[in-house]
Amino acid sequence: GKSPTPSSHLSLKLTERSFICADTAAIILEPPKRFQSYKNENVMFSVDELSEVKRVSTGHLRLLGFKPLSCLKDYHNLKPATFVFPSDEEVIGSTCLFVALHRSMLRLKRFAVAFYGNSSHPQLVALIAQDEIVTPSGQVEPPGMHLIYLPYSDDIRHIEELHTDPNSVPHATDDQIKKASSLVRRIDLKDFSVCQFANPALQRHYAVLQALALDEDEMPEMKDETLPDEEGMARPGIVKALEEFKLSVYGENYEEEDSNIDGKAEPSRKRKANAMKEYANYEWSDLADNGKLKDLTVVELKYYLAAHNLPVTGKKEALISRILTHMGK
């Protein structure tokens, strides 16, 4: 005969909670109840009843209906979507149901609206069917549905109408549009891709880990590729296009008007005159050739930039780079 198969025993740990009366120290057998006053009477609620009342969502998808894909706008996508696919291991028959809905939504070009989330953060979601894409080299995109988290009406801000009278709405002149078009063409980002930029926070994290792992005293230098290209923006063609655009929009005296409003800043003409006066006291070409620009202070470097109508913002290294670019060195 066969020997009996040993049975496995499952041990369970049960948690008990007791309530003690604060006055008598006696154990309360029945769980406490909450009450809500209504028409001079106290309506009693158990803890389970209160939990059921407060529960907005069960944490499962609850289908509400279907809408045409044209109703779904780009700004409805609040955060990265979740990809959904069926699993008969969890619910038997879910694959057949999913495939039927998936094919119908693709054929009718509709998306499903569903309720999803937990009791603390319930959300409306859109389910968009994605067809399978297969190439000779294999599958590119799997079939399934993208679960997109939709905003509530409170999350969408409507544009306020500042000008009720159509005649009072400001319009750009042909010259302003021409100057703006010239500026846009000058700083056009050709062949732009987000893949060209590394996450600066992640790069800084890796730099710290490297310094700790190698027991380095200083953190390795990292380049933040998301910062503006100050050297590129200081090119004479871009500076000229930017100044022409500002001149066409604000006029010749816009800097002086800003200074007068502030009440403390010196008018731009006086600042430029002072910069021109100080600029003449330096041999800028010799300083650049001998690498002595780094020995000047930021204030001194700005004399050159202000005298040539170049931007004066940025760190010292950026100012030196802007000067060298302007000098063609």
Side-chain angles (χ1 to χ4, degrees), residues 283-295 324 327 329:
E283 295 293 337
W284 295 100
S285 183
D286 292 342
L287 291 170
D289 292 336
N290 299 324
K292 296 291 185 65
L293 288 176
K294 64 179 181 298
D295 297 332
L324 293 175
M327 297 174 71
K329 297 185 181 295

Side-chain angles (χ1 to χ4, degrees), residues 125-163:
V125 295
L127 289 165
I128 302 179
Q130 172 180 279
D131 203 0
E132 183 180 22
I133 300 177
V134 181
T135 62
S137 58
Q139 187 186 65
V140 179
E141 296 288 351
M145 295 190 190
H146 291 282
L147 188 146
I148 295 178
Y149 302 92
L150 300 176
Y152 288 108
S153 59
D154 314 74
D155 300 325
I156 301 176
R157 295 177 57 189
H158 298 282
I159 301 175
E160 297 179 2
E161 293 290 341
L162 299 178
H163 305 281

